[in-house]
C-alpha cells in the first residue's frame, strides 16, 4: 500500500470517528435537555464525556494528523486553494474550541450533575442553567454544522471563496437555529 492510500484511509476513518463522536455527543446532550430526572441528566453528562473523549477526540487527532501529511504528500500547499484553507481553518477552530470551551463545559456539567445526584437533589432549572451557559450552548450546536462544512470542503472542493463562505454562513445559520430551537423543543417534549 502506498503512502497516499494509507493517509487517505486514515483520513476517512478519522472523519467517521469524529462525525460519529459528534453525533453521539449531540444525542446525549439532547437527552440531557429532555429529561427532568437528575439521574438521567447525570447519565447523559457521563455519556457526553465518554463519547467526546473516546470517539470524537481520537477521530480529530487522526483527521488532523493524516490531513497534514496528505497536504504535504500531494504538494497542495496550505494556502493555495479555498477548499483546503476552509477545511483546515474550520478544523483548527473546532479542535481548539472543542478542547477548551467544550471540554470545560462538559466536565463542569459532569461534575455538577454528579454532585447534585450524590446530594439527592432534584433536577431544577438552576442546576441545568449552572451546568450550561449560553456560550457553551452556542459552541455545542456549532459542532455538527461546521463538521458538515469541513466535509463539504473536502469532498466538493469548491474553488471559489464565495462557495466556502456561503457554506460557512449556512453552517452558522443552522447552528443558530439549533441553539434556539433544540433546548426549547426538548424541554417542551419533556413536559
Amino acid at each position: 500500500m502506498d503512502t497516499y492510500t494509507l493517509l487517505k484511509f486514515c483520513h476517512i476513518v478519522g472523519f467517521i470517528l469524529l462525525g460519529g463522536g459528534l453525533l453521539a455527543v449531540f444525542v446525549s446532550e439532547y437527552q440531557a435537555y429532555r429529561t427532568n430526572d437528575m439521574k438521567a441528566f447525570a447519565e447523559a453528562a457521563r455519556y457526553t464525556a465518554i463519547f467526546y473523549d473516546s470517539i470524537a477526540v481520537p477521530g480529530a487527532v487522526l483527521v488532523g494528523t493524516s490531513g497534514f501529511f496528505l497536504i504535504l504528500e500531494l504538494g497542495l500547499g496550505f494556502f493555495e486553494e479555498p477548499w483546503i484553507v476552509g477545511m483546515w481553518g474550520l478544523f483548527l477552530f473546532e479542535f481548539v474550541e472543542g478542547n477548551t470551551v467544550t471540554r470545560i463545559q462538559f466536565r463542569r456539567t459532569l461534575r455538577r450533575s454528579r454532585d447534585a445526584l450524590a446530594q439527592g437533589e432534584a433536577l431544577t432549572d438552576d442546576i441545568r442553567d449552572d451546568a450550561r451557559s449560553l456560550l457553551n450552548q452556542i459552541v455545542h450546536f456549532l459542532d455538527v454544522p461546521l463538521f458538515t462544512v469541513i466535509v463539504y470542503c473536502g469532498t466538493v472542493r469548491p474553488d471559489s471563496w464565495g462557495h466556502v463562505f456561503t457554506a460557512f454562513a449556512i453552517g452558522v445559520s443552522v447552528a443558530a437555529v439549533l441553539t434556539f430551537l433544540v433546548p426549547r423543543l426538548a424541554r417542551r417534549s419533556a413536559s
Side-chain angles (χ1 to χ4, degrees):
M1 184 180 323
D2 65 336
T3 305
Y4 169 74
T5 305
L6 180 62
L7 288 172
K8 188 174 180 181
F9 175 75
C10 290
H11 207 56
I12 291 168
V13 169
F15 267 104
I16 291 168
L17 290 172
L18 179 57
L22 291 176
L23 288 172
V25 166
F26 185 90
V27 170
S28 66
E29 285 292 298
Y30 181 75
Q31 178 61 28
Y33 283 113
R34 278 190 66 203
T35 190
N36 289 320
D37 178 46
M38 191 65 229
K39 185 176 180 181
F41 185 78
E43 185 176 325
R46 184 173 140 274
Y47 280 124
T48 295
I50 289 170
F51 292 141
Y52 191 80
D53 286 341
S54 64
I55 302 173
V57 170
V61 170
L62 190 56
V63 164
T65 305
S66 61
F68 176 80
F69 286 112
L70 269 171
I71 289 173
L72 295 178
E73 176 74 18
L74 296 173
L76 293 173
F78 289 91
F79 298 99
E80 293 179 15
E81 297 289 334
W83 67 271
I84 293 174
V85 176
M87 206 166 50
W88 69 256
L90 288 173
F91 174 78
L92 284 177
F93 169 78
E94 281 291 302
F95 191 79
V96 170
E97 173 269 314
N99 286 294
T100 54
V101 177
T102 300
R103 179 168 294 284
I104 291 167
Q105 172 62 35
F106 80 73
R107 288 291 172 196
R108 186 170 109 198
T109 302
L110 182 62
R111 194 172 38 254
R112 181 66 177 107
S113 64
R114 283 181 175 168
D115 290 346
L117 189 61
Q119 295 173 8
E121 294 180 48
L123 181 59
T124 63
D125 287 338
D126 289 338
I127 291 173
R128 195 185 302 270
D129 292 342
D130 183 45
R132 290 182 172 76
S133 67
L134 179 60
L135 172 64
N136 296 111
Q137 287 181 28
I138 291 169
V139 296
H140 167 67
F141 289 112
L142 266 176
D143 287 342
V144 173
L146 289 189
F147 174 78
T148 305
V149 175
I150 293 168
V151 171
Y152 165 78
C153 287
T155 55
V156 176
R157 296 182 177 183
D159 58 0
S160 78
W161 286 105
H163 291 162
V164 173
F165 287 129
T166 300
F168 177 74
I170 291 169
V172 169
S173 299
V174 168
V177 169
L178 290 173
T179 302
F180 180 76
L181 285 181
V182 169
R184 286 160 183 77
L185 292 175
R187 294 299 300 280
R188 186 176 302 159
S189 70
S191 300

